[in-house]
Amino acid sequence: MPNFLPINIILVPQGAEYKAVCRGLSGVTGSIPTVVAIPVGMKPLLKYLHASLVNGQFLAPKSRVLIMGICGSLSDRYKVGDIVLYQDCVYQGKQQECDRTFTAQLHSSISQKVSLVKSLTSDRVIWSAAEKRRLGETLAADVVDMEGFTALEFFNTAGVSVAMLRVVSDDCQHNIPDLTSAINSDGSLNPLPLAMRMLRQPLAATRLIRGSLTALKVLEQVTRNLTGYWRTK
């Protein structure tokens, strides 16, 4: 395997996704990146990243940032548990690209099947299957998340190399609960509105929980399988 440049920091949405990545790295010895929990959503993440400018946490020379987590599918091609590497992210007609060399190196270092995809970033939860399919078709996007474009715009402006590796947690054939109102302004989840939304749509909630658990297990596995990448330095 080639002698890749190191990944300095892994950014993961706080909560279950962050915990899954930490579990994946828990048995790794030697040099591993710092794992940082980030807020959910575009505005909370941007505020967080601008605050990080004060201490220069993410802007060291030749920094490489890997963003990990889960995402939703906008296409029949991508099912729950599929691993995807982003090529770019779009938001309201604008586009930001991931670092091609970094992405290609990651792609070659993962033993599981990994697909290169185009992503849409949304400022709200895309919960309707019909809307997912419509967005996928009209924007030629494969998956959706709530942080990708913001992170890419910030780091590309700063000259920091970024790659994004995610796992699909919900498909485009079924609705999931609309959890937008359960996300606080600081990017954390509010337990009471979250529970109420889940209770109002029990079948959709059950499907989301099952899909998320599957995706989180794969996220943990792919993090562990990247240990070959950590040991090449």
Side-chain angles (χ1 to χ4, degrees), residues 8-213:
N8 306 90
I9 294 173
I10 298 177
L11 302 183
V12 196
Q14 61 191 353
E17 296 163 81
Y18 171 77
K19 291 176 183 177
V21 170
C22 288
R23 286 196 300 271
L25 288 171
S26 61
V28 180
T29 57
S31 177
I32 61 172
T34 302
V35 185
V36 179
I38 59 174
V40 174
M42 299 183 72
K43 289 182 179 179
L45 176 59
L46 185 60
K47 183 177 179 181
Y48 174 85
L49 290 174
H50 278 304
S52 75
L53 286 172
V54 176
N55 57 29
Q57 183 179 10
F58 305 137
L59 302 180
K62 297 184 179 180
S63 287
R64 281 187 151 197
V65 174
L66 175 60
I67 297 171
M68 302 183 75
I70 60 178
C71 61
S73 174
L74 302 178
S75 166
D76 291 332
R77 294 189 298 275
Y78 303 104
K79 311 294 185 185
V80 172
D82 285 354
I83 305 167
V84 295
L85 264 173
Y86 288 13
Q87 294 176 305
D88 54 48
C89 290
V90 296
Y91 174 71
Q92 294 186 349
K94 297 178 289 184
Q95 179 178 321
Q96 291 286 334
E97 291 191 354
C98 295
D99 185 275
R100 293 185 180 183
T101 301
F102 188 6
T103 299
Q105 290 176 350
L106 281 170
H107 191 256
S108 68
S109 70
I110 300 171
S111 58
Q112 297 126 297
K113 179 185 175 183
V114 184
S115 299
L116 295 170
V117 299
K118 293 181 176 296
S119 172
L120 165 69
T121 299
S122 174
D123 55 9
R124 59 186 175 84
V125 175
I126 307 299
W127 59 271
S128 161
E131 185 178 14
K132 284 186 179 185
R133 292 193 296 271
R134 179 182 62 80
L135 289 169
E137 291 168 2
T138 57
L139 300 176
D142 302 303
V143 297
V144 60
D145 68 36
M146 297 181 69
E147 300 86 25
F149 183 89
T150 298
L152 272 180
E153 188 173 48
F154 176 85
F155 287 118
N156 284 346
T157 300
V160 174
S161 297
V162 179
M164 295 198 195
L165 177 64
R166 292 191 181 244
V167 181
V168 175
S169 61
D170 51 283
D171 61 32
C172 66
Q173 296 299 320
H174 304 92
N175 295 344
I176 61 172
D178 182 3
L179 303 179
T180 302
S181 63
I183 302 174
N184 294 322
S185 60
D186 65 356
S188 62
L189 289 175
N190 192 325
L192 185 56
L194 177 64
M196 293 300 293
R197 286 290 182 180
M198 300 287 263
L199 287 170
R200 287 175 187 169
Q201 298 172 279
L203 290 177
T206 299
R207 191 177 294 116
L208 176 62
I209 291 168
R210 287 176 178 170
S212 296
L213 290 174

